[in-house]
Amino acid sequence: MPRKVNSMTEHSKKWNMYVNELEKANFLIALTKSGKSKCQSAAVRAFMYLYANDDVVRNKVNAIVDNFLVYKENGQISKL
C-alpha cells in the first residue's frame, strides 16, 4: 500500500545517480520480472531503507561495494 506523504516522508529531495546502460537495463529487467516495472524510484528507496536498517543486507552490499567504485582519469574515486 502506498505511503501517505507528510513532512517526514515527502519526496522533495532530488538525488542524482549515474549508472551505465547495462546496470540500468538489468535493474529494469529484474523489476519487470517481479511485476514492479513502474517502481524504479520506490525500489531504490526500499533498498536505501533495507541498507540502513538490515544488517544482513548491509553486509552483503558492503562485501561487493568496492567492485562498483568509479575512478576518474587522475585515479581519484568519483563522488558520483
Side-chain angles (χ1 to χ4, degrees):
M1 173 175 240
R3 296 183 300 172
K4 291 186 178 181
V5 176
N6 61 38
S7 63
M8 293 300 291
T9 63
E10 68 179 323
H11 302 127
S12 59
K13 177 70 176 170
K14 184 175 180 178
W15 193 6
N16 289 328
M17 178 175 63
Y18 290 97
V19 296
N20 70 37
E21 292 179 16
L22 183 58
E23 290 170 334
K24 181 179 178 182
N26 286 333
F27 180 63
L28 295 177
I29 289 168
L31 284 174
T32 300
K33 286 180 178 179
S34 298
K36 305 286 184 187
S37 62
K38 304 237 182 228
C39 299
Q40 297 97 341
S41 293
V44 172
R45 288 191 298 273
F47 166 75
M48 290 168 57
Y49 171 84
L50 285 174
Y51 185 85
N53 293 287
D54 187 319
D55 289 336
V56 174
V57 170
R58 188 177 319 115
N59 290 336
K60 285 180 179 182
V61 172
N62 287 343
I64 64 168
V65 73
D66 290 340
N67 298 338
F68 294 90
L69 293 175
V70 175
Y71 291 88
K72 298 179 185 177
E73 288 183 14
N74 65 7
Q76 292 181 327
I77 296 174
S78 174
K79 295 181 182 178
L80 294 177

